[in-house]
Amino acid sequence: MTNYSIGVTTYKYRFEKWFKPLLNQIKEFRPDIEIMVAVNGENNEEFDQQFRNNILEFISQKENTYVNMYPTFRGLCKMWNNLMINASNHKMLLLNDDITIRSPL
């Protein structure tokens, strides 16, 4: 059993290229781990409802993965804090969405 959670922040323009591969990589190595996702809105733009549908559909296929959505832009530290508050574990690994994982966590 894992005693930590993983928190990932993302937004619309990183969904296909970065976020989806990262979440798949994490779940490949650690399918049981709790992942908390914060989805940020764009600055001065309406929240894209098609993106909302796409990311919720993708995340719903991943066990033990939960999402917080911000329809308007939020600062990174605010999203990190909310991820930590909502996680089930007292320890959390915070990741940006533009990384690649090549070995087990």
Side-chain angles (χ1 to χ4, degrees):
M1 181 166 177
T2 305
N3 64 351
Y4 67 95
S5 299
I6 294 178
V8 181
T9 60
T10 194
Y11 63 101
K12 174 182 171 179
Y13 298 109
R14 289 189 174 175
F15 177 60
E16 290 292 335
K17 182 176 181 180
W18 293 104
F19 178 75
K20 284 174 70 174
L22 174 62
L23 194 58
N24 286 332
Q25 291 161 359
I26 294 169
K27 287 300 186 177
E28 175 185 342
F29 292 117
R30 298 297 305 270
D32 61 321
I33 198 159
E34 177 183 73
I35 300 177
M36 306 297 294
V37 179
V39 180
N40 207 358
E42 296 299 314
N43 194 24
N44 297 322
E45 288 183 27
E46 292 285 322
F47 198 81
D48 184 330
Q49 294 303 310
Q50 185 60 52
F51 165 63
R52 178 183 166 275
N53 292 339
N54 293 343
I55 196 164
L56 288 173
E57 181 180 347
F58 176 70
I59 289 174
S60 70
Q61 298 170 21
K62 308 294 182 190
E63 288 189 36
N64 212 16
T65 303
Y66 308 97
V67 64
N68 291 327
M69 283 219 186
Y70 302 95
T72 57
F73 179 78
R74 296 289 190 267
L76 183 59
C77 290
K78 182 173 184 127
M79 291 192 304
W80 283 341
N81 287 336
N82 285 328
L83 288 171
M84 289 185 281
I85 288 168
N86 292 307
S88 298
N89 296 296
H90 293 290
K91 296 177 186 174
M92 177 171 262
L93 172 63
L94 293 171
L95 301 174
N96 289 326
D97 57 356
D98 59 348
I99 65 169
T100 300
I101 296 176
R102 294 198 171 112
S103 62
L105 300 168

